[in-house]
Structures are given as structure tokens and as C-alpha cells.
């Protein structure tokens, strides 16, 4: 509006400018909202739950976007991908990995479009996919798709905390080509082995969608070998006679190790309280029942100690939850992911049992404060994964904040799993528990065989004090 009495005033209506992209991107990119917010920094993760947690830590000039997993895959649909779907990608020159064409996953194109829609005119992309082989492959895929739109950086962190993510952004790195190559080999093996064996599985196993790959195929071989061994096993029957005397369990000792009639298991180990002789066992039972008592003839005192277990690796956590809670590996993995993505535990895929120095110091401080310095063991950061750097870039699974006793989640099972992880971490820095024992030998008047048993009790809790809920 221009008037003669006022200086010129210019009124503009601004609309966000769209950056030029490649023809392929232009065809697949969704139309943006005319008033969508733009940011200078886009942090890219795999999980939506993790994205929500991280968004709270970063300022308004950041957007955290989740891909939901992989964005690229090998062609696998003849109708959509033509001859590329059945091409032998593994047929390549010796010493070189194949270089196949890559296609979008079901959600990959939408995920990349969502990232671009969040970006401003001069964006920087921070790729924070999981710090494992698959995460590195996803980072490799994203970098190829995004680097024409702005600088891309690879960042990794072991825990979903503000301190960890800011430290990672302060020290970005390149995509690890060795880890990408490892992921590629795994994918090629899945295609080479899995496509063929999956057809066989679908032909033999009822139902649809049966699949196999590089892991399932040799595993099936192990199962078959074990089943054949089981079918060939010849059971070795035996008899035992036990009694309870003043609350102490005792067993008749039928044979000594040098007795040719001693019962031996498949490993040729002698079990003195077992016998092949049914008549001998029946007679011992009748004699004990008629006597109604046994006489203590010998007592041997002893003591023992139990060292705490190491902090959890992935397989140890799955086994512990399975044995204590009867959870399937799938359930435990889902709960662990929930805890990790909410920032309560460190990365959950690891073969290592080592802890960061800061975690060791914190665990020992809590152990000394709660149970006393006498309950602390030698300071130990734990061991790396056996056999070299196999997922050893990661710590053991531990709480990100050991002082937090209960994870603030609505899921009872998730809270219970958190308490288990915390107890294991604290216990790993504590002293061995101490136990006193008495090995006893008894006799029955009309029985020509001795009876043996033992009783024990804890004299010092040590690490078991931190583990009491799960003993």
C-alpha cells in the first residue's frame, strides 16, 4: 500500500520454497504442507519411540525422524522388479562384493520423503541408526539418498540420554564400510541360501510364509542331528531310595565308584545313589520304612562361595528372563527395546560383558551405600566378547542411570526386566556370597548300605543382597 503521506510499505505473503531434487525424488516425493515447519538439523533413527524420546532432548532447530527400519532391500518381486528379482547377485568377480540394484522397502520411500519434508533449505542430516551391522547398512542407504540434499554425518550412541546424543553429535564419523560389507554379505547369504530353502520349507511345513535364511538353515541341521541322536539313545533305567530325617534329605548309597555294578550315565560317570537292581532298591525301601529312623554316623563341615555373574550380554539376558519369568525371547527382546528406546538401559545387542568406567564407579558407590563396603568385590570393568570384536563396540546391557530403582513405565513386565538388569549390574561389582555346609553320613540298623546327604546355609550375602528378588 502506497500513500502520499507515508513511506512505501510492502506487504508480502511468503510460501516455503521447494528445493530442486533429482527426477527420481521428484516423482516419489509427497506434496508438502504449505506451512510445514523447517529445521536445520534432522536426526534420523529407526524407532518412533526412540525418536519421541530424543526430540525432548534437542532444541527447536532439530527434528528427529524415524525410518521404521530398512529403507532399501534387494529386488524380490518379479512383477514389480522384473528380472532383477531373480538375478544371482552373488555371481561376481572373486575378491569383490556384488553391486546389485536396490529398491525401496514397503515404508522406505515414505520414510525418506518424511525426512526431506522436515529439512530446511540448508539442512544437515545426522544418521543415528542403531550401532550394529544392520544399523550401519541403513545409514549407508540413507547417506546415498540424502547427501545430494545436504551434509550427512553418521553418529552412534549406546544409550538414549541427552548426554549421550549430544556427545555423539559433537563427534560424528563416517559410515563404517567394513560393517556395511558385513551386512551385505549377510544379505547375499540370506538370498543365496534362504530363497532356495524357503521353497522347500513351504513345501514341507503346513501354512504360508515359512522362510529360512543363513541362520535358520544351519540351525535346522543342528536340530536334525540332535533329534537323530535322541532317537538313537538307549535309556538306562535306575532306582533311587530317599528319606527325610529331621528335615534333611538323605539317599541310600548303593554303590561305590569301583563297584562293577555301579550305575553309569552316558558319559561313564558313576552315580553312587543309583542302582540297576530293582530288588536291592525295593529291599532298602522296606527296611527304612520298618526302622523309621536313621543314626547319624559322620559329619563333615565345609564352606563354599559363589561369585557374581557378569553384566548381561544379549543372550544372557534372554536366558535369564526365560528361566526366571518363562518369557519367550521375542517378549524379552520387545521389552528390552521398550526400555532402551525410553532411555532406561543401554543398547541391547551386544556380546560383551564389560562396563564403562563411569558405570563401574556408580555401581560400587550404590553398593557401598546400600549394603556396606564389605559387600563390594574387586573393581572390575568386565570382559570383552570372546574371540575379538564381535558386537564388542557396545557395553554390556545396563541401566543408563543406576540410581533409578524403578523404570517409570506403565508395563509391569518392563519394570521387572529393568529391575533384573539393574540387579545384575550392581551384583557384578559385589563380593562373592559365602555358604557353610555339612555333609552327613547315616546308618539304618537293618540296612547294609549307608545313607548320605547334605545341608547348607548362607553365612554372608555378598552379591546376593542385590539379587534377592530374583534368587
Amino acid at each position: 500500500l502506497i500513500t502520499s503521506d507515508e513511506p512505501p510499505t510492502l506487504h508480502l505473503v511468503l510460501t516455503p520454497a521447494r528445493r530442486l531434487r533429482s527426477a527420481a525424488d521428484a516423482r516419489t516425493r509427497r506434496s508438502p504442507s504449505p506451512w510445514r515447519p523447517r529445521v536445520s538439523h534432522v536426526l534420523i533413527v529407526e524407532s518412533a519411540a526412540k525418536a519421541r524420546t530424543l526430540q525432548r532432548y534437542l532444541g527447536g532447530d532439530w527434528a528427529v525422524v524415524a525410518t521404521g527400519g530398512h529403507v532399501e532391500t534387494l529386488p524380490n518381486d518379479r512383477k514389480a522388479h522384473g528380472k532383477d528379482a531373480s538375478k544371482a547377485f552373488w555371481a561376481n568377480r572373486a575378491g569383490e562384493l556384488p553391486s546389485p540394484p536396490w529398491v525401496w522397502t514397503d515404508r522406505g520411500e515414505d520414510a525418506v520423503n518424511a525426512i526431506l519434508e522436515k529439512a530446511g533449505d540448508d539442512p544437515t542430516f545426522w544418521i543415528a541408526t542403531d550401532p550394529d551391522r544392520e544399523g550401519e547398512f541403513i545409514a549407508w542407504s540413507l547417506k546415498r539418498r540424502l547427501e545430494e540434499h545436504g551434509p550427512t554425518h553418521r553418529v552412534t550412541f549406546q544409550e538414549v540420554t541427552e548426554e549421550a546424543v549430544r556427545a555423539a553429535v559433537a563427534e560424528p564419523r563416517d559410515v563404517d564400510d567394513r560393517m556395511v560389507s558385513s551386512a551385505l554379505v549377510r544379505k547375499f547369504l540370506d538370498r543365496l541360501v534362504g530363497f532356495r530353502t524357503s521353497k522347500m520349507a513351504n513345501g514341507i511345513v503346513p501354512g504360508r510364509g515359512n522362510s529360512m535364511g543363513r541362520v535358520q538353515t544351519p540351525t535346522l541341521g543342528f536340530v536334525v542331528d540332535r533329534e537323530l541322536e535322541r532317537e538313537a539313545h538307549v535309556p538306562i533305567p535306575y532306582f533311587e531310595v530317599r528319606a527325610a530325617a529331621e528335615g534333611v534329605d538323605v539317599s541310600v548309597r548303593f554303590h561305590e565308584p569301583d563297584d562293577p555294578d555301579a550305575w553309569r550315565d552316558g558319559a561313564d560317570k558313576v552315580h553312587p545313589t543309583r542302582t540297576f537292581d530293582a530288588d536291592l532298591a525295593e529291599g532298602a525301601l522296606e527296611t527304612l520304612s520298618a526302622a523309621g529312623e536313621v543314626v547319624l554316623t559322620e559329619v563333615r563341615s565345609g564352606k563354599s562361595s559363589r561369585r557374581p555373574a557378569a553384566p548381561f550380554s544379549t543372550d544372557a539376558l534372554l536366558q535369564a528372563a526365560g528361566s526366571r519369568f518363562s518369557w519367550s525371547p521375542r517378549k524379552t527382546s520387545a521389552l528390552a527395546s521398550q526400555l532402551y528406546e525410553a532411555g532406561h538401559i543401554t543398547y541391547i545387542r551386544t556380546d560383551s560383558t564389560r562396563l564403562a568406567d563411569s558405570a563401574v564407579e556408580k555401581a560400587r558407590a550404590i553398593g557401598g551405600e546400600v549394603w556396606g563396603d564389605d559387600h563390594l568385590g574387586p573393581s572390575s570393568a568386565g570382559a570383552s566378547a570372546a574371540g575379538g570384536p564381535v558386537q564388542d563396540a557396545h557395553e554390556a546391557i545396563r541401566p543408563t542411570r543406576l540410581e533409578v530403582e524403578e523404570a517409570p513405565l506403565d508395563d509391569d513386565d518392563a519394570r521387572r526386566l529393568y529391575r533384573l538388569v539393574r540387579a545384575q549390574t550392581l551384583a557384578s561389582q559385589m563380593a562373592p556370597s559365602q555358604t557353610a555346609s555339612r555333609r552327613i553320613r547315616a546308618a539304618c540298623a537293618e540296612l547294609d548300605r549307608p545313607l548320605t546327604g547334605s545341608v547348607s546355609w548362607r553365612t554372608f550375602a555378598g552379591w546376593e543382597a542385590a539379587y534377592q528378588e530374583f534368587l
Side-chain angles (χ1 to χ4, degrees):
L1 176 65
I2 302 177
T3 69
S4 59
D5 298 325
E6 298 178 0
T9 301
L10 184 62
H11 295 268
L12 301 177
V13 176
L14 301 178
T15 57
R18 294 184 61 180
R19 298 186 306 283
L20 293 177
R21 291 175 171 81
S22 66
D25 284 336
R27 286 195 301 270
T28 61
R29 188 170 179 273
R30 297 176 299 182
S31 298
S33 167
W35 294 103
R36 61 184 174 84
R38 291 172 171 272
V39 295
S40 298
H41 300 280
V42 181
L43 184 73
I44 306 165
V45 296
E46 296 178 47
S47 161
K50 189 194 300 184
R52 289 191 292 271
T53 302
L54 292 172
Q55 187 67 70
R56 297 198 301 266
Y57 301 149
L58 300 172
D61 201 31
W62 285 80
V64 185
V65 185
T67 66
H70 286 270
V71 298
E72 289 184 332
T73 187
L74 291 169
N76 53 33
D77 186 336
R78 274 184 172 273
K79 291 182 180 180
H81 309 138
K83 64 180 181 179
D84 284 341
S86 58
K87 184 179 178 181
F89 298 120
W90 47 86
N92 209 54
R93 288 182 294 182
E96 295 181 8
L97 285 177
S99 181
W102 296 95
V103 298
W104 293 114
T105 60
D106 291 340
R107 57 188 170 226
E109 186 176 7
D110 287 343
V112 171
N113 286 340
I115 293 168
L116 294 174
E117 294 212 4
K118 289 287 186 181
D121 292 326
D122 188 22
T124 299
F125 301 102
W126 306 83
I127 306 174
T129 48
D130 290 346
D132 57 14
R133 294 183 185 89
E134 295 304 305
E136 206 69 21
F137 172 80
I138 298 172
W140 176 72
S141 299
L142 288 169
K143 180 178 180 180
R144 292 179 13 254
R145 298 280 182 174
L146 298 174
E147 59 187 353
E148 67 178 282
H149 305 294
T152 62
H153 302 290
R154 175 69 168 127
V155 295
T156 57
F157 40 86
Q158 306 299 319
E159 55 191 64
V160 185
T161 61
E162 182 174 1
E163 298 84 356
V165 70
R166 291 196 179 279
V169 168
E171 296 185 8
R173 62 171 174 82
D174 292 330
V175 172
D176 189 328
D177 291 333
R178 294 180 303 172
M179 289 187 71
V180 173
S181 295
S182 176
L184 289 174
V185 169
R186 287 151 60 106
K187 291 182 182 300
F188 296 150
L189 283 175
D190 272 339
R191 177 60 61 91
L192 174 63
V193 177
F195 268 43
R196 298 177 181 179
T197 53
S198 293
K199 291 181 180 179
M200 179 184 68
N202 278 301
I204 297 174
V205 181
R208 300 179 59 187
N210 299 306
S211 64
M212 298 176 66
R214 69 182 189 282
V215 174
Q216 296 94 332
T217 304
T219 300
L220 178 62
F222 295 143
V223 172
V224 170
D225 289 344
R226 185 61 175 167
E227 178 65 12
L228 293 174
E229 182 182 346
R230 190 190 68 80
E231 291 178 350
H233 175 69
V234 178
I236 307 174
Y238 66 86
F239 303 90
E240 287 187 288
V241 177
R242 300 174 182 173
E246 298 293 337
V248 178
D249 292 330
V250 292
S251 300
V252 177
R253 187 178 178 92
F254 289 107
H255 304 286
E256 298 303 321
D258 57 353
D259 188 339
D261 294 328
W263 190 93
R264 288 174 166 81
D265 60 20
D268 203 37
K269 179 182 177 181
V270 173
H271 294 257
T273 60
R274 299 178 182 180
T275 182
F276 292 105
D277 193 333
D279 292 336
L280 179 61
E282 187 68 33
L285 178 60
E286 293 176 357
T287 300
L288 280 173
S289 299
E293 66 177 12
V294 296
V295 178
L296 192 64
T297 60
E298 183 180 355
V299 177
R300 292 184 181 179
S301 298
K303 58 183 179 180
S304 60
S305 63
R306 289 180 62 195
R307 296 174 58 86
F312 283 131
S313 61
T314 302
D315 62 335
L317 178 62
L318 296 177
Q319 292 174 27
S323 63
R324 287 171 174 81
F325 309 142
S326 299
W327 292 349
S328 67
R330 176 172 294 184
K331 176 176 180 176
T332 303
S333 296
L335 292 172
S337 294
Q338 182 181 347
L339 289 168
Y340 168 64
E341 290 164 0
H344 299 308
I345 62 175
T346 54
Y347 192 57
I348 59 176
R349 295 179 185 174
T350 177
D351 295 324
S352 179
T353 59
R354 59 181 174 81
L355 297 174
D357 291 341
S358 59
V360 171
E361 293 175 4
K362 189 66 176 179
R364 295 181 66 80
I366 293 174
E369 180 181 349
V370 176
W371 296 288
D373 290 342
D374 61 326
H375 278 65
L376 296 180
S379 179
S380 172
S384 298
V390 182
Q391 297 283 42
D392 199 50
H394 322 307
E395 284 185 74
I397 302 171
R398 63 165 176 85
T400 55
R401 295 180 177 86
L402 274 164
E403 66 274 14
V404 177
E405 298 182 12
E406 188 84 51
L409 298 174
D410 293 333
D411 191 313
D412 290 341
D413 286 340
R415 292 199 303 271
R416 184 154 53 146
L417 185 62
Y418 175 84
R419 294 196 303 271
L420 177 64
V421 172
R422 182 176 185 268
Q424 188 90 356
T425 306
L426 293 174
S428 71
Q429 299 301 312
M430 297 176 67
S433 61
Q434 303 292 332
T435 300
S437 63
R438 299 290 185 269
R439 299 182 63 183
I440 65 173
R441 198 175 184 94
C444 181
E446 302 298 326
L447 184 64
D448 61 351
R449 312 282 183 180
L451 296 96
T452 58
S454 65
V455 62
S456 61
W457 62 96
R458 192 176 66 186
T459 58
F460 175 67
W463 65 270
E464 292 182 10
Y467 220 74
Q468 196 62 42
E469 179 183 354
F470 305 106
L471 293 176

